[in-house]
C-alpha cells in the first residue's frame, strides 16, 4: 500500500491502483494463507476470524485511500469560476428565528414540568388512597 501511495504517477491511476490492490489482496489473501479445507479445519476459529478482520481492513483502507485520492483529483478541476452567482453561499441572519424557537422551547419545557408535576401529584394521591 505504501509503495502505491509513493508511486510517482497521476492521481487517478494511483487511486484506481490502490482500490484494485485492496480488492485483489482481500480476495486472494485468505485463499493464499488457507489454501485447503483440511487446513481450515485444523486451525483455531480465532485465526480464521482474525484473517477475515485483516482482509476487511485491507479492503476498506485501500478503497478509502484510493477513493480519497480520486476525489482529490476531481476537486482539482473545480474552479471558483464554475460556481454561478445563484450557487454562492450567502450569510443569512437567523437571529429572529432562533429567538422564536428558543421561546417556544421554553414554553414547551414549562408545560412538560407542569404536566410531569401533575402526574406525580396524582400518583402520590392514588398511592396515599391505597395505603
Amino acid at each position: 500500500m505504501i509503495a502505491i501511495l509513493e508511486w510517482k504517477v497521476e492521481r487517478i491511476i494511483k487511486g484506481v491502483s490502490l482500490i484494485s490492490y485492496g480488492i485483489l489482496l482481500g480476495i486472494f489473501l485468505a485463499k493464499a494463507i488457507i489454501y485447503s479445507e483440511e487446513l481450515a479445519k485444523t486451525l483455531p476459529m480465532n485465526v480464521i476470524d482474525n484473517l477475515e478482520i485483516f482482509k476487511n481492513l485491507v479492503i476498506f483502507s485501500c478503497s478509502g485511500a484510493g477513493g480519497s485520492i480520486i476525489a482529490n483529483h476531481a476537486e482539482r478541476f473545480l474552479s471558483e469560476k464554475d460556481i454561478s452567482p445563484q450557487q454562492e453561499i450567502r450569510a443569512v441572519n437567523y437571529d429572529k428565528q432562533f429567538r422564536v424557537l428558543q421561546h417556544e422551547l421554553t414554553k414547551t419545557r414549562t408545560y412538560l414540568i407542569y404536566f410531569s408535576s401533575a402526574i406525580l401529584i396524582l400518583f402520590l394521591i392514588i398511592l396515599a388512597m391505597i395505603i
Side-chain angles (χ1 to χ4, degrees), residues 2-115:
I2 294 172
I4 294 174
L5 287 173
E6 293 179 354
W7 193 18
K8 302 289 186 214
V9 293
E10 286 189 35
R11 289 180 184 165
I12 192 79
I13 295 172
K14 187 184 293 189
V16 171
S17 299
L18 200 54
I19 292 170
S20 301
Y21 171 76
I23 291 171
L24 291 175
L25 187 64
I27 290 172
F28 295 117
L29 179 68
K31 290 181 182 175
I33 293 175
I34 303 174
Y35 51 87
S36 69
E37 299 250 347
E38 295 84 27
L39 179 63
K41 290 178 184 175
T42 61
L43 291 174
M45 194 61 181
N46 64 346
V47 171
I48 296 171
D49 291 341
N50 288 342
L51 185 61
E52 182 72 22
I53 291 170
F54 181 73
K55 179 182 87 165
N56 289 336
L57 178 71
V58 167
I59 290 172
F60 293 139
S61 62
C62 288
S63 298
S68 296
I69 290 171
I70 292 171
N72 192 12
H73 175 74
E75 190 71 27
R76 201 174 72 184
F77 295 106
L78 179 68
S79 67
E80 295 297 323
K81 296 175 186 174
D82 294 339
I83 300 173
S84 67
Q86 292 92 11
Q87 292 176 334
E88 287 183 17
I89 299 172
R90 296 184 181 151
V92 179
N93 188 2
Y94 291 110
D95 194 36
K96 184 177 179 182
Q97 288 89 347
F98 284 135
R99 278 193 235 127
V100 169
L101 182 61
Q102 186 178 16
H103 178 68
E104 291 296 323
L105 286 173
T106 304
K107 281 181 17 183
T108 305
R109 185 178 60 192
T110 305
Y111 291 143
L112 284 174
I113 290 171
Y114 289 150
F115 180 73

